[in-house]
Amino acid sequence: MAQKEEAAAAAAPASQNGEDLENLEDPEKLKELIELPPFEIVTGRRFGERLPVNFFKFQFRNVEYSSGRNKTFLCYVVEAQSKGGQVQATRGYLEDEHAAAHAEEAFFNTIMPTFDPALRYIVTWYVSSSPCAACADRIIKTLNKTKNLRLLILVGRLFMWEEPEIQAALRKLKEAGCKLRIMKPQDFEYVWQNFVEQEEGESKAFEPWEDIQENFLYYEEKLADILK
């Protein structure tokens, strides 16, 4: 994982992609977001660190058209179960830039090496968008060779879901035993409460955006059509 100082430096140029959503109705503001230059930094976050509020509001919003959202954020919960039934849970988040290593790859490269082969792992990902074909292939290979791993992926949006290659990759994920579903409003609230920065000493209630339920139903229908 990157050190805290490195993470802070990396977040500086990326912060403009986490603009608050309140003014996205402004054509000029939206134009600025869409025309942002690509990120150059891949950042890993350490345990205990949380996702900046503006990143969550922009990157996780389940919009139909995701222009300007050229990063993927992956929040994870890892439950390690011993043979005696004891469970130890850890959580954190990773972010990526599509031009470099993806967040899914980062999880396998930085988090999974710490797994104990003697334990059973139930892993849940809350991801801003669904995996690309290459990441889906990596997930499938990992599940096939890691028999003590069960993976549930909840996604805010479907990435390039109209592409045949992506549709085939999502179906292969299902066939490999990966559970894949669209994030419900309650899931966004869970991410807000457990992964997003809160003001010190107080926890601000999650405020759903206007079309959160409508967009969830939209993507849920698309995913069901792809996986049937």
Side-chain angles (χ1 to χ4, degrees):
M1 291 282 187
Q3 296 298 316
K4 186 176 294 185
E5 293 80 9
E6 294 172 348
S15 63
Q16 50 188 333
N17 237 24
E19 290 287 347
D20 203 309
L21 296 171
E22 294 179 358
N23 298 319
L24 286 190
E25 297 302 323
D26 182 343
E28 290 303 314
K29 176 63 68 176
L30 182 58
K31 184 173 182 289
E32 289 177 14
L33 288 171
I34 291 174
E35 293 181 349
L36 288 175
F39 291 89
E40 297 177 353
I41 304 293
V42 178
T43 307
R45 301 289 177 171
R46 299 194 303 180
F47 293 111
E49 294 189 352
R50 288 183 170 237
L51 183 68
V53 171
N54 289 343
F55 282 6
F56 169 78
K57 288 183 176 182
F58 183 67
Q59 299 289 353
F60 267 91
R61 185 162 182 168
N62 58 348
V63 292
E64 181 177 350
Y65 300 103
S66 55
S67 295
R69 292 168 173 84
N70 58 346
K71 287 176 74 73
T72 297
F73 285 81
L74 187 158
C75 301
Y76 60 86
V77 178
V78 175
E79 296 178 81
Q81 300 181 343
S82 66
K83 291 183 178 179
Q86 295 177 318
V87 178
Q88 182 177 4
T90 57
R91 65 174 180 244
Y93 84 90
L94 300 163
E95 60 184 280
D96 77 11
E97 160 51 36
H98 290 316
H102 293 191
E104 297 90 339
E105 289 276 353
F107 181 88
F108 294 132
N109 294 337
T110 63
I111 307 301
M112 272 196 65
T114 66
F115 283 14
D116 183 345
L119 301 180
R120 180 171 180 262
Y121 289 89
I122 300 175
V123 176
T124 304
W125 289 352
Y126 299 86
V127 196
S128 54
S129 64
S130 59
C132 66
C135 285
D137 185 63
R138 174 69 188 273
I139 293 168
I140 292 166
K141 290 178 179 177
T142 301
L143 289 174
N144 287 339
K145 70 179 182 181
T146 314
K147 301 304 180 183
N148 62 333
L149 172 65
R150 297 293 179 269
L151 178 62
L152 167 63
I153 304 178
L154 300 95
V155 302
R157 303 182 302 276
L158 292 177
F159 172 71
M160 297 180 66
W161 62 268
E162 294 175 312
E163 297 293 327
E165 181 185 26
I166 296 295
Q167 295 182 6
L170 295 178
R171 286 192 288 268
K172 289 178 181 178
L173 277 175
K174 179 183 177 182
E175 293 169 1
C178 178
K179 296 181 179 179
L180 180 68
R181 72 173 176 84
I182 304 300
M183 288 176 64
K184 301 176 181 179
Q186 301 96 308
D187 297 316
F188 289 104
E189 183 175 13
Y190 177 83
V191 172
W192 172 267
Q193 293 174 344
N194 292 279
F195 295 96
V196 178
E197 290 177 349
Q198 304 290 333
E199 293 292 336
E200 187 173 352
E202 64 177 90
S203 179
K204 187 176 180 181
F206 173 64
E207 298 179 0
W209 42 92
E210 183 178 357
D211 51 0
I212 186 171
Q213 176 67 15
E214 178 183 348
N215 291 346
F216 156 67
L217 294 173
Y218 170 84
Y219 279 120
E220 184 180 50
E221 180 181 0
K222 299 302 180 187
L223 181 61
D225 288 341
I226 292 169
L227 298 181
K228 67 182 181 182

